[in-house]
Coordinates of all heavy atoms in Angstrom, one line a residue:
G13 N -13.9 -2.5 -26.1 CA -12.9 -3.0 -26.8 C -11.5 -2.9 -26.2 O -11.4 -2.3 -25.1
R14 N -10.6 -3.5 -26.7 CA -9.2 -3.5 -26.2 C -8.2 -3.1 -27.3 O -8.5 -3.3 -28.5 CB -8.8 -4.7 -25.5 CG -8.8 -5.9 -26.4 CD -8.4 -7.2 -25.8 NE -7.5 -7.9 -26.6 CZ -7.3 -9.3 -26.5 NH1 -7.9 -9.9 -25.6 NH2 -6.3 -9.8 -27.3
S15 N -7.1 -2.6 -26.9 CA -6.1 -2.3 -27.9 C -4.9 -3.1 -27.6 O -4.3 -3.1 -26.5 CB -5.7 -0.7 -27.7 OG -6.7 0.0 -28.0
D16 N -4.5 -3.9 -28.6 CA -3.3 -4.8 -28.5 C -2.0 -4.2 -29.1 O -1.0 -4.8 -28.8 CB -3.6 -6.1 -29.1 CG -4.8 -6.9 -28.4 OD1 -4.8 -6.8 -27.1 OD2 -5.6 -7.5 -29.1
F17 N -2.2 -3.2 -29.9 CA -1.1 -2.6 -30.5 C -1.0 -1.2 -30.4 O -2.1 -0.5 -30.2 CB -1.2 -3.0 -32.1 CG -1.3 -4.5 -32.3 CD1 -2.5 -5.0 -32.6 CD2 -0.1 -5.3 -32.3 CE1 -2.6 -6.4 -32.8 CE2 -0.3 -6.6 -32.4 CZ -1.5 -7.2 -32.8
P18 N 0.1 -0.5 -30.5 CA 0.2 1.0 -30.5 C -0.7 1.5 -31.6 O -0.7 1.0 -32.6 CB 1.7 1.3 -30.7 CG 2.4 0.0 -30.4 CD 1.5 -1.2 -30.7
N19 N -1.3 2.6 -31.3 CA -2.1 3.5 -32.3 C -3.4 2.7 -32.7 O -3.9 3.1 -33.7 CB -1.3 3.9 -33.4 CG -0.2 4.9 -32.9 OD1 -0.4 5.7 -32.1 ND2 1.0 4.7 -33.5
Q20 N -3.7 1.6 -32.0 CA -5.0 0.9 -32.5 C -6.1 1.6 -31.8 O -6.1 1.9 -30.5 CB -4.9 -0.5 -31.9 CG -6.1 -1.3 -32.3 CD -6.0 -2.8 -31.8 OE1 -5.1 -3.1 -31.1 NE2 -6.9 -3.6 -32.2
V21 N -7.1 2.0 -32.6 CA -8.2 2.8 -32.0 C -9.1 1.9 -31.2 O -9.4 0.7 -31.5 CB -9.1 3.4 -33.2 CG1 -10.3 4.0 -32.6 CG2 -8.3 4.3 -34.0
N22 N -9.4 2.4 -30.0 CA -10.3 1.7 -29.0 C -11.6 2.4 -29.0 O -11.7 3.7 -29.0 CB -9.6 1.7 -27.6 CG -10.3 0.9 -26.7 OD1 -11.5 1.0 -26.4 ND2 -9.5 0.1 -26.0
N23 N -12.7 1.6 -29.0 CA -14.0 2.2 -28.9 C -14.2 3.2 -27.7 O -15.0 4.2 -27.9 CB -15.1 1.1 -28.6 CG -15.1 0.1 -29.8 OD1 -14.8 0.5 -30.9 ND2 -15.6 -1.0 -29.5
V24 N -13.5 3.0 -26.7 CA -13.7 3.9 -25.6 C -13.1 5.4 -25.9 O -13.6 6.3 -25.2 CB -12.9 3.4 -24.3 CG1 -11.4 3.6 -24.3 CG2 -13.5 3.9 -23.0
L25 N -12.4 5.5 -26.9 CA -11.9 6.9 -27.3 C -13.1 7.7 -28.0 O -13.1 8.8 -27.8 CB -10.7 6.8 -28.3 CG -9.4 6.4 -27.6 CD1 -8.3 6.3 -28.6 CD2 -9.0 7.5 -26.6
A26 N -13.9 7.0 -28.8 CA -14.8 7.6 -29.6 C -16.3 7.6 -29.0 O -17.0 8.7 -28.9 CB -14.9 7.0 -31.0
F27 N -16.7 6.6 -28.6 CA -18.1 6.4 -28.2 C -18.7 7.2 -27.1 O -19.7 7.8 -27.3 CB -18.5 4.9 -28.0 CG -18.5 4.1 -29.3 CD1 -18.4 2.7 -29.1 CD2 -18.7 4.6 -30.5 CE1 -18.4 1.9 -30.2 CE2 -18.7 3.9 -31.6 CZ -18.5 2.5 -31.5
P28 N -18.0 7.4 -26.0 CA -18.6 8.3 -24.9 C -18.8 9.7 -25.4 O -19.9 10.2 -25.2 CB -17.5 8.2 -23.9 CG -16.8 6.9 -24.0 CD -16.8 6.7 -25.6
G29 N -17.9 10.3 -26.1 CA -18.1 11.7 -26.5 C -19.0 11.8 -27.8 O -19.8 12.7 -27.8
L30 N -19.0 10.8 -28.6 CA -19.8 10.8 -29.7 C -21.3 10.8 -29.3 O -22.1 11.5 -29.8 CB -19.5 9.6 -30.6 CG -20.1 9.5 -32.0 CD1 -19.6 10.6 -32.9 CD2 -19.9 8.2 -32.6
F31 N -21.6 9.8 -28.4 CA -23.0 9.7 -27.9 C -23.4 10.9 -27.0 O -24.5 11.4 -27.1 CB -23.2 8.4 -27.2 CG -23.3 7.3 -28.2 CD1 -22.3 6.3 -28.2 CD2 -24.3 7.1 -29.1 CE1 -22.3 5.2 -29.1 CE2 -24.4 6.1 -30.0 CZ -23.4 5.2 -30.0
R32 N -22.5 11.4 -26.2 CA -22.8 12.5 -25.4 C -23.1 13.8 -26.2 O -24.1 14.5 -26.0 CB -21.7 12.8 -24.4 CG -21.9 14.0 -23.5 CD -20.7 14.2 -22.6 NE -20.9 15.5 -21.8 CZ -20.0 15.9 -21.0 NH1 -19.0 15.2 -20.7 NH2 -20.2 17.1 -20.5
G33 N -22.3 14.0 -27.2 CA -22.4 15.2 -28.0 C -23.8 15.1 -28.8 O -24.6 16.0 -29.0
A34 N -24.1 13.9 -29.3 CA -25.4 13.7 -30.0 C -26.6 13.8 -29.1 O -27.6 14.4 -29.5 CB -25.4 12.2 -30.6
L35 N -26.5 13.3 -27.9 CA -27.6 13.5 -26.9 C -27.7 14.9 -26.5 O -28.9 15.4 -26.4 CB -27.3 12.6 -25.7 CG -27.5 11.1 -25.9 CD1 -27.0 10.4 -24.7 CD2 -28.9 10.7 -26.2
E36 N -26.6 15.6 -26.3 CA -26.8 17.1 -25.9 C -27.4 17.9 -27.1 O -28.2 18.9 -26.8 CB -25.4 17.6 -25.6 CG -24.9 17.2 -24.3 CD -23.4 17.6 -24.0 OE1 -22.9 18.4 -24.8 OE2 -22.9 17.4 -22.9
A37 N -27.2 17.5 -28.3 CA -27.7 18.2 -29.4 C -29.1 17.8 -29.7 O -29.8 18.4 -30.6 CB -26.8 18.1 -30.6
R38 N -29.5 16.6 -29.1 CA -30.8 16.0 -29.4 C -30.8 15.6 -30.9 O -31.8 15.8 -31.7 CB -32.0 16.9 -29.1 CG -32.0 17.2 -27.6 CD -33.2 18.0 -27.2 NE -34.4 17.2 -27.4 CZ -35.6 17.7 -27.5 NH1 -35.8 19.0 -27.3 NH2 -36.7 17.0 -27.7
A39 N -29.7 15.1 -31.4 CA -29.5 14.7 -32.8 C -30.4 13.5 -33.1 O -30.5 12.6 -32.3 CB -28.0 14.3 -33.1
T40 N -31.0 13.5 -34.3 CA -31.8 12.4 -34.7 C -31.1 11.3 -35.5 O -31.6 10.3 -35.7 CB -33.0 12.9 -35.5 OG1 -32.5 13.6 -36.7 CG2 -33.9 13.8 -34.7
R41 N -29.9 11.7 -35.8 CA -29.0 10.6 -36.6 C -27.6 11.2 -36.5 O -27.3 12.3 -36.1 CB -29.5 10.5 -38.0 CG -29.4 11.7 -38.9 CD -30.1 11.5 -40.2 NE -30.3 12.8 -40.9 CZ -29.5 13.3 -41.7 NH1 -28.4 12.7 -42.1 NH2 -29.8 14.5 -42.3
F42 N -26.7 10.3 -36.9 CA -25.3 10.6 -37.0 C -24.9 11.0 -38.4 O -25.4 10.2 -39.3 CB -24.3 9.5 -36.5 CG -24.4 9.3 -35.0 CD1 -25.3 8.3 -34.4 CD2 -23.6 10.1 -34.2 CE1 -25.2 8.1 -33.1 CE2 -23.6 9.9 -32.8 CZ -24.5 8.9 -32.3
T43 N -24.2 12.0 -38.6 CA -23.7 12.4 -40.0 C -22.3 12.2 -40.1 O -21.5 12.0 -39.2 CB -24.1 13.9 -40.2 OG1 -23.2 14.6 -39.3 CG2 -25.5 14.2 -40.1
E44 N -21.8 12.1 -41.3 CA -20.4 12.0 -41.6 C -19.6 13.2 -41.0 O -18.5 13.0 -40.4 CB -20.1 11.9 -43.1 CG -20.5 10.7 -43.8 CD -19.8 9.5 -43.2 OE1 -18.6 9.5 -43.0 OE2 -20.5 8.4 -42.9
S45 N -20.2 14.4 -41.0 CA -19.5 15.5 -40.3 C -19.4 15.3 -38.9 O -18.3 15.7 -38.3 CB -20.2 16.8 -40.7 OG -21.5 16.8 -40.2
M46 N -20.3 14.7 -38.2 CA -20.3 14.4 -36.8 C -19.1 13.4 -36.5 O -18.4 13.6 -35.5 CB -21.6 13.9 -36.2 CG -22.7 15.0 -36.2 SD -24.3 14.3 -36.0 CE -24.3 13.7 -34.3
K47 N -19.1 12.4 -37.3 CA -18.1 11.3 -37.0 C -16.7 11.9 -37.4 O -15.8 11.5 -36.6 CB -18.3 10.2 -38.0 CG -19.6 9.4 -37.6 CD -19.9 8.2 -38.5 CE -20.9 8.4 -39.5 NZ -21.2 7.2 -40.3
L48 N -16.5 12.7 -38.4 CA -15.2 13.3 -38.7 C -14.8 14.3 -37.8 O -13.6 14.4 -37.4 CB -15.3 13.9 -40.2 CG -15.3 12.9 -41.3 CD1 -15.5 13.6 -42.6 CD2 -14.1 12.1 -41.3
A49 N -15.7 15.0 -37.1 CA -15.5 16.0 -36.1 C -14.9 15.2 -34.9 O -13.9 15.6 -34.2 CB -16.7 16.7 -35.7
A50 N -15.5 14.0 -34.6 CA -14.9 13.2 -33.5 C -13.5 12.7 -33.7 O -12.7 12.7 -32.8 CB -15.9 12.0 -33.3
V51 N -13.2 12.3 -34.9 CA -11.9 11.8 -35.3 C -10.9 13.0 -35.1 O -9.8 12.8 -34.5 CB -11.9 11.3 -36.7 CG1 -10.5 11.1 -37.2 CG2 -12.6 10.1 -36.9
D52 N -11.3 14.2 -35.6 CA -10.4 15.3 -35.5 C -10.1 15.7 -34.0 O -9.0 16.0 -33.6 CB -11.0 16.5 -36.2 CG -10.8 16.5 -37.7 OD1 -10.1 15.6 -38.2 OD2 -11.6 17.1 -38.4
A53 N -11.2 15.6 -33.2 CA -11.1 15.9 -31.8 C -10.1 14.9 -31.1 O -9.3 15.3 -30.2 CB -12.4 16.0 -31.1
I54 N -10.3 13.6 -31.4 CA -9.4 12.6 -30.8 C -8.0 12.9 -31.2 O -7.1 12.8 -30.3 CB -9.9 11.2 -31.3 CG1 -11.2 10.9 -30.6 CG2 -8.9 10.1 -30.9 CD1 -11.9 9.6 -31.2
T55 N -7.7 13.1 -32.5 CA -6.3 13.3 -32.8 C -5.7 14.6 -32.3 O -4.5 14.6 -32.1 CB -6.1 13.2 -34.4 OG1 -7.0 14.2 -34.9 CG2 -6.6 11.9 -34.9
S56 N -6.6 15.6 -32.1 CA -6.0 16.8 -31.5 C -5.6 16.7 -30.0 O -5.0 17.7 -29.5 CB -7.0 18.0 -31.7 OG -8.1 17.8 -30.8
C57 N -6.0 15.6 -29.4 CA -5.7 15.4 -28.0 C -4.2 15.1 -27.7 O -3.7 15.1 -26.6 CB -6.5 14.3 -27.4 SG -8.3 14.8 -27.2
I58 N -3.5 14.8 -28.8 CA -2.0 14.6 -28.6 C -1.3 15.8 -29.2 O -1.4 16.1 -30.3 CB -1.6 13.3 -29.5 CG1 -2.3 12.1 -28.9 CG2 -0.1 13.1 -29.5 CD1 -1.8 11.7 -27.5
E59 N -0.6 16.4 -28.3 CA 0.1 17.7 -28.7 C 1.3 17.4 -29.6 O 1.5 18.2 -30.5 CB 0.5 18.4 -27.5 CG -0.7 19.0 -26.7 CD -0.3 19.9 -25.5 OE1 0.9 20.2 -25.3 OE2 -1.2 20.0 -24.6
E60 N 2.1 16.4 -29.2 CA 3.2 16.1 -30.0 C 3.2 14.7 -30.4 O 3.8 13.8 -29.7 CB 4.5 16.4 -29.2 CG 4.7 17.9 -28.9 CD 5.9 18.2 -28.1 OE1 6.9 17.5 -28.2 OE2 5.9 19.1 -27.3
P61 N 2.5 14.3 -31.5 CA 2.4 12.9 -31.9 C 3.8 12.4 -32.4 O 4.6 13.1 -33.0 CB 1.4 12.9 -33.1 CG 1.3 14.4 -33.4 CD 1.7 15.2 -32.4
T62 N 3.9 11.1 -32.1 CA 5.1 10.4 -32.7 C 4.7 9.1 -33.4 O 3.5 8.8 -33.3 CB 6.0 9.9 -31.4 OG1 5.3 8.8 -30.7 CG2 6.4 11.0 -30.6
P63 N 5.5 8.5 -34.2 CA 5.0 7.3 -34.9 C 4.5 6.2 -34.0 O 3.6 5.5 -34.4 CB 6.3 6.8 -35.6 CG 7.1 8.1 -35.8 CD 6.9 8.9 -34.6
R64 N 4.9 6.2 -32.7 CA 4.5 5.2 -31.7 C 3.2 5.6 -30.9 O 2.6 4.9 -30.3 CB 5.6 4.8 -30.8 CG 6.7 4.2 -31.5 CD 7.2 2.8 -31.2 NE 6.6 2.1 -30.1 CZ 6.1 0.9 -30.2 NH1 5.9 0.4 -31.4 NH2 5.6 0.3 -29.2
R65 N 2.9 7.0 -31.0 CA 1.8 7.4 -30.2 C 1.1 8.6 -31.0 O 1.5 9.8 -30.9 CB 2.3 8.0 -28.9 CG 1.2 8.3 -27.9 CD 1.6 8.2 -26.5 NE 0.5 8.3 -25.6 CZ 0.0 9.4 -25.1 NH1 0.3 10.5 -25.6 NH2 -1.1 9.3 -24.2
I66 N 0.0 8.2 -31.7 CA -0.7 9.3 -32.4 C -2.1 9.4 -31.8 O -2.9 10.3 -32.2 CB -0.9 8.9 -33.9 CG1 -1.5 7.7 -34.2 CG2 0.5 9.0 -34.6 CD1 -1.9 7.4 -35.6
L67 N -2.4 8.6 -30.8 CA -3.7 8.6 -30.2 C -3.6 8.8 -28.7 O -2.6 8.4 -28.1 CB -4.5 7.3 -30.4 CG -4.8 6.9 -31.8 CD1 -5.4 5.5 -31.9 CD2 -5.9 7.9 -32.4
P68 N -4.6 9.5 -28.0 CA -4.5 9.6 -26.6 C -4.7 8.3 -25.9 O -5.2 7.3 -26.5 CB -5.7 10.6 -26.3 CG -6.6 10.5 -27.5 CD -5.7 10.1 -28.7
L69 N -4.4 8.3 -24.6 CA -4.7 7.1 -23.8 C -6.1 6.8 -23.7 O -7.0 7.7 -23.7 CB -4.0 7.2 -22.4 CG -2.5 7.4 -22.4 CD1 -2.1 7.7 -21.0 CD2 -1.8 6.2 -23.0
A70 N -6.5 5.5 -23.8 CA -7.9 5.1 -23.7 C -8.7 5.7 -22.6 O -9.9 6.0 -22.7 CB -8.0 3.6 -23.8
F71 N -8.1 5.9 -21.5 CA -8.9 6.3 -20.3 C -8.7 7.8 -19.9 O -8.9 8.3 -18.8 CB -8.6 5.4 -19.1 CG -9.1 4.1 -19.4 CD1 -8.2 3.0 -19.6 CD2 -10.5 3.7 -19.4 CE1 -8.7 1.8 -19.9 CE2 -11.0 2.5 -19.7 CZ -10.1 1.5 -19.9
D72 N -8.2 8.6 -20.9 CA -8.1 10.0 -20.7 C -9.5 10.7 -20.8 O -10.0 10.7 -21.8 CB -7.2 10.6 -21.8 CG -6.9 12.1 -21.7 OD1 -7.6 12.8 -20.9 OD2 -6.0 12.6 -22.3
R73 N -10.0 11.1 -19.7 CA -11.4 11.5 -19.6 C -11.6 12.9 -20.4 O -12.7 13.2 -20.8 CB -11.8 11.8 -18.2 CG -12.0 10.5 -17.5 CD -12.4 10.7 -16.0 NE -12.4 9.4 -15.3 CZ -13.5 8.8 -14.8 NH1 -14.6 9.5 -15.0 NH2 -13.4 7.7 -14.1
S74 N -10.6 13.6 -20.7 CA -10.7 14.9 -21.4 C -11.0 14.6 -22.8 O -11.7 15.5 -23.4 CB -9.4 15.7 -21.3 OG -8.4 15.1 -21.9
V75 N -10.8 13.5 -23.3 CA -11.1 13.1 -24.8 C -12.6 13.2 -25.0 O -13.1 13.8 -25.9 CB -10.5 11.8 -25.2 CG1 -10.9 11.4 -26.6 CG2 -8.9 11.8 -25.1
A76 N -13.3 12.5 -24.1 CA -14.8 12.5 -24.3 C -15.4 13.9 -24.2 O -16.3 14.2 -25.0 CB -15.4 11.6 -23.2
V77 N -14.9 14.7 -23.4 CA -15.4 16.1 -23.3 C -15.2 16.8 -24.6 O -16.1 17.5 -25.1 CB -14.7 16.8 -22.1 CG1 -15.1 18.3 -22.1 CG2 -15.1 16.2 -20.8
Q78 N -14.0 16.7 -25.1 CA -13.7 17.4 -26.4 C -14.4 16.8 -27.5 O -14.9 17.6 -28.4 CB -12.1 17.3 -26.6 CG -11.3 18.2 -25.7 CD -9.8 18.1 -26.0 OE1 -9.4 18.0 -27.1 NE2 -9.0 18.1 -25.0
V79 N -14.5 15.5 -27.5 CA -15.3 14.9 -28.7 C -16.8 15.4 -28.6 O -17.4 15.7 -29.6 CB -15.2 13.3 -28.6 CG1 -16.2 12.7 -29.6 CG2 -13.8 13.0 -29.0
A80 N -17.3 15.3 -27.4 CA -18.8 15.7 -27.2 C -19.0 17.1 -27.7 O -20.0 17.5 -28.4 CB -19.2 15.6 -25.8
Q81 N -18.1 18.1 -27.5 CA -18.3 19.5 -27.9 C -18.3 19.6 -29.4 O -19.2 20.3 -30.0 CB -17.1 20.3 -27.4 CG -17.2 20.7 -25.9 CD -16.0 21.5 -25.5 OE1 -14.9 21.3 -25.9 NE2 -16.2 22.3 -24.5
V82 N -17.4 18.9 -30.1 CA -17.4 19.1 -31.6 C -18.5 18.3 -32.2 O -19.0 18.8 -33.2 CB -16.0 18.7 -32.1 CG1 -14.9 19.6 -31.6 CG2 -15.6 17.2 -31.9
V83 N -18.8 17.2 -31.7 CA -20.0 16.5 -32.2 C -21.3 17.2 -32.1 O -22.1 17.3 -33.0 CB -20.1 15.1 -31.6 CG1 -21.4 14.4 -31.9 CG2 -18.9 14.2 -32.0
R84 N -21.4 17.9 -30.9 CA -22.7 18.7 -30.6 C -22.7 19.8 -31.7 O -23.8 20.1 -32.3 CB -22.6 19.3 -29.3 CG -23.8 20.1 -29.0 CD -23.7 20.7 -27.5 NE -24.8 21.6 -27.2 CZ -24.9 22.8 -27.6 NH1 -23.9 23.3 -28.3 NH2 -25.9 23.6 -27.4
E85 N -21.5 20.5 -31.9 CA -21.5 21.6 -32.9 C -21.8 21.1 -34.3 O -22.5 21.8 -35.0 CB -20.2 22.3 -32.8 CG -20.0 23.1 -31.5 CD -18.5 23.5 -31.3 OE1 -17.7 23.5 -32.3 OE2 -18.2 23.9 -30.2
A86 N -21.3 20.0 -34.6 CA -21.4 19.4 -35.9 C -22.9 19.0 -36.2 O -23.5 19.2 -37.3 CB -20.6 18.2 -36.2
A87 N -23.6 18.5 -35.2 CA -24.9 18.1 -35.3 C -25.9 19.4 -35.5 O -26.8 19.4 -36.3 CB -25.4 17.4 -34.1
L88 N -25.5 20.5 -34.7 CA -26.2 21.7 -34.9 C -26.1 22.3 -36.2 O -27.0 22.8 -36.8 CB -25.8 22.7 -33.8 CG -26.2 22.2 -32.3 CD1 -25.6 23.2 -31.3 CD2 -27.8 22.3 -32.1
T89 N -24.8 22.3 -36.8 CA -24.6 22.8 -38.1 C -25.3 22.0 -39.1 O -25.8 22.6 -40.1 CB -23.0 22.8 -38.3 OG1 -22.4 23.6 -37.3 CG2 -22.7 23.3 -39.7
A90 N -25.3 20.6 -38.9 CA -26.0 19.9 -40.0 C -27.5 19.9 -39.8 O -28.2 19.3 -40.7 CB -25.5 18.4 -39.8
K91 N -28.0 20.5 -38.8 CA -29.5 20.7 -38.5 C -30.2 19.3 -38.5 O -31.2 19.1 -39.0 CB -30.1 21.5 -39.6 CG -29.5 23.0 -39.6 CD -30.1 23.8 -40.7 CE -29.4 25.2 -40.7 NZ -29.8 26.0 -41.9
V92 N -29.6 18.4 -37.8 CA -30.1 17.1 -37.6 C -30.7 16.9 -36.1 O -30.7 15.8 -35.6 CB -29.2 15.9 -37.9 CG1 -28.9 15.9 -39.4 CG2 -27.9 16.0 -37.1
C93 N -31.0 18.0 -35.5 CA -31.4 18.0 -34.1 C -32.9 18.0 -34.0 O -33.6 18.8 -34.6 CB -30.8 19.1 -33.4 SG -29.0 19.2 -33.5
H94 N -33.5 17.1 -33.0 CA -35.0 17.2 -32.8 C -35.3 18.5 -32.3 O -34.8 19.1 -31.4 CB -35.3 16.1 -31.8 CG -36.7 16.0 -31.5 ND1 -37.6 15.5 -32.3 CD2 -37.3 16.4 -30.3 CE1 -38.8 15.6 -31.7 NE2 -38.7 16.1 -30.5
G95 N -36.4 19.1 -32.9 CA -36.9 20.4 -32.5 C -36.0 21.6 -33.0 O -36.1 22.7 -32.4
Y96 N -35.0 21.3 -33.9 CA -34.2 22.4 -34.3 C -35.0 23.5 -35.1 O -35.9 23.2 -35.9 CB -33.1 21.9 -35.3 CG -32.3 23.0 -35.9 CD1 -31.2 23.5 -35.2 CD2 -32.5 23.6 -37.1 CE1 -30.4 24.5 -35.7 CE2 -31.7 24.6 -37.7 CZ -30.7 25.0 -36.9 OH -30.0 26.0 -37.4
R97 N -34.7 24.7 -34.6 CA -35.4 25.8 -35.4 C -34.3 26.9 -35.6 O -33.7 27.4 -34.7 CB -36.5 26.4 -34.5 CG -37.7 25.5 -34.4 CD -38.8 26.1 -33.6 NE -39.9 25.2 -33.4 CZ -40.0 24.1 -32.7 NH1 -39.0 23.7 -32.0 NH2 -41.1 23.4 -32.6
P98 N -34.1 27.2 -36.9 CA -33.1 28.3 -37.2 C -33.3 29.6 -36.6 O -34.4 30.0 -36.2 CB -33.0 28.3 -38.7 CG -34.1 27.5 -39.2 CD -34.8 26.8 -38.1

C-alpha cells in the first residue's frame, strides 16, 4: 500500500509485525485482542504525536519488532496457539 495523506495507515506498518507475532506464537487464528495490540503498539511508536503526525514512518523497522512482541503475547494470552498447553 501507499500513503497519500498524513496519518493514513499503510499496510506496511501493521502486517509484518502482525504476521511475525502470529507465526512466533504459532497462532491458529487472529483475534480482536491481537489486532488491537498491534494498533496500540503502532501508536506507541510516536513519542510526541501531533495532529499532522500520529503514526510512525512506514519504513521504521522498529515498528514491526514492537508489533510482533505484543501480538505474540496477545495470542498466548488468548490461547489460540497450535500446541498450547497451560
Side-chain angles (χ1 to χ4, degrees):
R14 66 181 220 200
S15 297
D16 295 324
F17 304 101
N19 297 320
Q20 181 178 6
V21 176
N22 187 305
N23 294 338
V24 78
L25 284 173
F27 289 157
L30 191 66
F31 286 112
R32 179 178 169 182
L35 288 169
E36 287 177 358
R38 299 182 67 199
T40 57
R41 62 189 165 94
F42 287 98
T43 65
E44 287 300 311
S45 63
M46 292 165 67
K47 292 182 257 183
L48 291 172
V51 169
D52 288 341
I54 291 168
T55 59
S56 73
C57 290
I58 296 292
E59 292 180 18
E60 295 181 30
T62 66
R64 299 234 358 117
R65 189 157 191 277
I66 60 171
L67 296 171
L69 298 174
F71 295 106
D72 180 347
R73 292 179 184 247
S74 68
V75 175
V77 173
Q78 291 181 34
V79 171
Q81 285 178 325
V82 299
V83 168
R84 180 182 176 279
E85 291 169 11
L88 293 170
T89 299
K91 300 178 184 172
V92 293
C93 305
H94 179 70
Y96 177 81
R97 289 178 182 78

